[in-house]
Amino acid sequence: MGKKERVDKILSNLGYGSRKEIKSFVKQGMISVGNELIKDSSIKVDPTVEEIYFEGEKVYYREFIYLMLNKPQDVVSSTNDPISKTVLDLIDSKYLAFNPHPAGRLDKDTEGLLLITNDGKLSHELLSPKKNVKKTYYVEVDGYVDEKYFEVFESGIVLDDGYKTKPAKLEIIESGYVSKVYLTISEGKYHQVKRMFESLEMNVLYLKRISMGSLVLDDSLQPGEYRELSDEEVLLLKKS
Ligand code: URA
């Protein structure tokens, strides 16, 4: 059982229109609760137990939305930007009605997994430095990275500002003039992955986040595409 709220507030929060518009929809007999048409848009209902119908179609009620975005390059993670396109510009208005925010940031030229949600508590927990949530990145660098670096990443790398990173796990996909690796870190310092490689005299050429806590980027999502998380993904993520 949830708490009772005005039906016009519930519907407008779900993106069905302004309160004024909902009032007019009610007058036009477009909205029912259970199997009764309502005549007053200020009546209170508990949307977790009572079914609301909009023009005969059941309203899918939820308080929180969770979207997994494969962030493309050239899009910023902030919610508004005077020049660049933002990740929210990629999201449909039916989701924007929930006022979601990106949980954390990726650089403009970084691709990959970005969670977009209005669940502030979950975002806060995922980003809290105390929680040490693991983030795995696929990295291409302009240097020869081989097994000798396992220990280097494991024992921490001193960044340009003197900060020593926590143990990070390196996995090698391919060593060469350009090496391809996975790097898992449990912190989120500014430009952290790029700065870790810079400390080792290498430049990151391509960076893509592929997981955050238990959440793994769905590889069927092309850059710029997103989908809602399944209930199971949300549950697991809350345990991350
Ligand atoms: N590390 C970086 O350098 N950039 C990102 O976008 C994420 C992690």
Side-chain angles (χ1 to χ4, degrees), residues 204-236:
V204 168
L205 305 173
Y206 176 77
L207 188 59
K208 178 178 184 179
R209 181 156 66 193
I210 53 170
S211 71
M212 182 175 190
S214 62
L215 194 62
V216 180
L217 180 65
D218 181 336
D219 59 16
S220 70
L221 292 174
Q222 297 304 308
E225 291 184 343
Y226 61 91
R227 67 156 169 84
E228 288 194 48
L229 298 197
S230 65
D231 292 346
E232 201 191 346
E233 283 171 325
V234 175
L235 270 177
L236 279 171

Side-chain angles (χ1 to χ4, degrees), residues 105-107 110 137 185 189 191-195 207:
R105 288 185 176 209
L106 292 176
D107 296 339
T110 301
Y137 294 86
I185 59 176
K189 302 278 173 223
H191 294 331
Q192 180 158 343
V193 174
K194 291 176 185 162
R195 287 164 68 213
L207 188 59

Side-chain angles (χ1 to χ4, degrees), residues 12-28:
S12 89
N13 285 347
L14 290 171
Y16 283 85
S18 64
R19 293 234 201 151
K20 206 169 148 200
E21 283 167 332
I22 306 292
K23 191 171 178 182
S24 132
F25 297 151
V26 167
K27 279 215 179 110
Q28 294 170 59

Side-chain angles (χ1 to χ4, degrees), residues 60-118:
Y60 177 37
Y61 177 77
R62 56 251 154 102
E63 191 179 359
F64 296 120
I65 54 146
Y66 303 90
L67 303 174
M68 170 195 289
L69 169 70
N70 183 357
K71 179 194 166 299
Q73 293 185 333
D74 296 327
V75 171
V76 295
S77 303
S78 46
T79 43
N80 56 52
D81 189 278
I83 305 159
S84 303
K85 202 168 169 178
T86 76
V87 287
L88 293 187
D89 292 329
L90 302 168
I91 308 295
D92 193 282
S93 58
K94 78 172 187 208
Y95 293 116
L96 295 181
F98 290 85
N99 196 23
H101 284 73
R105 288 185 176 209
L106 292 176
D107 296 339
K108 192 172 175 182
D109 59 358
T110 301
E111 276 183 18
L113 177 64
L114 192 65
L115 173 70
I116 299 190
T117 180
N118 58 346

Side-chain angles (χ1 to χ4, degrees), residues 137-139 141 143-151 153 169-176 178-184 197:
Y137 294 86
Y138 166 75
V139 198
V141 280
Y144 196 88
V145 183
D146 62 10
E147 292 74 15
K148 288 199 284 294
Y149 284 90
F150 288 158
E151 175 60 26
F153 281 95
K169 185 170 164 241
L170 178 74
E171 288 162 82
I172 296 169
I173 304 167
E174 202 179 299
S175 306
V178 170
S179 299
K180 297 175 182 171
V181 303
Y182 290 120
L183 187 68
T184 302
F197 281 98

